[in-house]
Amino acid sequence: MVWKWLGALVVFPLQMIYLVAKAAVGLVLPAKLRDLSRENVLITGGGRGIGRQLAREFAERGARKIVLWGRTEKCLKETTEEIQQMGTECHYFICDVGNREEVYQTAKAVREKNSPAVALSPSHKSRLALREVGDITILVNNAAVVHGKSLMDSDDDALLKSQHINTLGQFWTTKAFLPRMLELQNGHIVCLNSVLALSAIPGAIDYCTSKASAFAFMESLTLGLLDCPGVSATTVLPFHTSTEMFQGMRVRFPNLFPPLKPETVARRTVEAVQLNQALLLLPWTMHALIILKSILPQAALEEIYKFSGTYTCMNTFKGRT
């Protein structure tokens, strides 16, 4: 038993060195990308913003089918038509991921053959067209909302809405599609999170809290899938992205820290899926932020927030109109 423990102590650091060296080589040499031609991709919040760009990127990279979920039919229909014009089969379903029963009901419709291309919630009346969708092998949890106010200025219902859509919605969608992925031994769960999950800001307490919860959810899920062959997960943590959702948000040095383009986030996200990358921080300079948070005293961090404009960046927030 003693020799076994000693052997493990010797092997473990060597294993760490090997894995670090392997990752370093991977940064230099081009890695083989996963073929998407047999994958069915479902994107929540797929009608606009990053979701729409993700649909385009998956289509360009050869995904077999793309399914869009969202609450605004106009946006979903426009994106679906655009993807279809690119030559990729695409369907949309009206679904509020913050509504558990609606998620399970719509997921069942997606999985079943000859299911409706537009799923109905009790509040929607849409024409149904029968389509064959089938098994989802890549689930992208992208849907999110932001209230954009301090705690004391926040409406309780709005706070609950943020938690339901940004966090609990990922529980429901993952529970709906993961079992079949495990059965097929083929699947990937993707979470479009935010760097605010690791470094919160004032004026977006609902968003930061929900994203931090979603990050913990994905971290636990990723570790839980280690012994599940063929099924893995990717968490994406982008910096401020220029979409309607965060319209009006301003940093002090926009030329030094420009907002990311949705196209860039989408491209890097799909690449991360194809490379089976567990964690992606965008841009790479966000790694320095995480390191600074780990070593600097709170007083120093507060001065960084004030100097960079992070402390007041939500003062001009308008959000999606």
Side-chain angles (χ1 to χ4, degrees), residues 43-47 68-73 76 92-97 102 119 124 143:
I43 305 169
T44 67
L68 307 176
W69 279 15
R71 296 180 297 163
T72 307
E73 184 170 9
L76 290 169
Y92 73 88
F93 290 72
I94 299 171
C95 180
D96 179 1
V97 297
E102 196 170 320
H124 292 93

Side-chain angles (χ1 to χ4, degrees), residues 289-300:
L289 173 64
I290 306 307
I291 294 172
L292 290 176
K293 283 203 67 175
S294 301
I295 60 177
L296 292 180
Q298 180 63 24

Side-chain angles (χ1 to χ4, degrees), residues 26-75:
L27 294 175
V28 179
L29 300 178
K32 183 179 179 181
L33 297 178
R34 172 183 179 176
D35 179 21
L36 300 176
S37 62
R38 305 174 77 176
E39 309 298 341
N40 295 338
V41 184
L42 189 150
I43 305 169
T44 67
R48 52 190 168 188
I50 296 176
R52 175 176 288 189
Q53 295 300 328
L54 282 166
R56 290 172 178 166
E57 193 68 29
F58 274 111
E60 289 177 356
R61 291 173 183 255
R64 179 168 173 260
K65 296 180 184 180
I66 294 176
V67 180
L68 307 176
W69 279 15
R71 296 180 297 163
T72 307
E73 184 170 9
K74 180 178 181 293
C75 297

Side-chain angles (χ1 to χ4, degrees), residues 49-208:
I50 296 176
R52 175 176 288 189
Q53 295 300 328
L54 282 166
R56 290 172 178 166
E57 193 68 29
F58 274 111
E60 289 177 356
R61 291 173 183 255
R64 179 168 173 260
K65 296 180 184 180
I66 294 176
V67 180
L68 307 176
W69 279 15
R71 296 180 297 163
T72 307
E73 184 170 9
K74 180 178 181 293
C75 297
L76 290 169
K77 188 175 181 180
E78 289 174 353
T79 304
T80 298
E81 291 174 349
E82 180 181 345
I83 301 305
Q84 289 173 343
Q85 289 174 2
M86 295 173 66
T88 300
E89 185 176 336
C90 186
H91 311 286
Y92 73 88
F93 290 72
I94 299 171
C95 180
D96 179 1
V97 297
N99 185 318
R100 181 183 57 184
E101 294 306 320
E102 196 170 320
V103 167
Y104 291 156
Q105 180 183 357
T106 311
K108 182 179 179 182
V110 170
R111 289 192 304 266
E112 293 177 351
K113 295 182 184 297
N114 296 323
S115 62
V118 180
L120 297 182
S121 67
S123 60
H124 292 93
K125 295 181 179 179
S126 304
R127 181 172 58 86
L128 297 182
L130 295 181
R131 295 288 186 272
E132 181 179 309
V133 179
D135 295 317
I136 297 300
T137 53
I138 299 178
L139 169 64
V140 184
N141 285 313
N142 168 72
V145 295
V146 57
H147 189 41
K149 293 185 178 181
S150 66
L151 176 63
M152 301 311 298
D153 292 332
S154 298
D155 176 75
D156 288 352
D157 290 336
L159 291 174
L160 285 172
K161 180 180 178 181
S162 297
Q163 308 311 309
H164 286 164
I165 293 177
N166 299 2
T167 305
L168 290 177
Q170 299 193 43
F171 281 71
W172 314 144
T173 56
T174 304
K175 286 189 68 177
F177 293 107
L178 181 58
R180 182 58 175 161
M181 293 180 183
L182 295 173
E183 185 180 337
L184 295 171
Q185 294 190 355
N186 177 32
H188 206 109
I189 308 294
V190 184
C191 170
L192 256 294
N193 204 299
S194 168
V195 73
L196 297 182
L198 304 179
S199 182
I201 60 174
I205 195 166
D206 62 319
Y207 186 81
C208 296

Side-chain angles (χ1 to χ4, degrees), residues 270-282:
V270 179
E271 285 178 357
V273 172
Q274 292 184 286
L275 292 170
N276 198 24
Q277 185 175 344
L279 183 66
L280 175 63
L281 274 164
L282 295 173

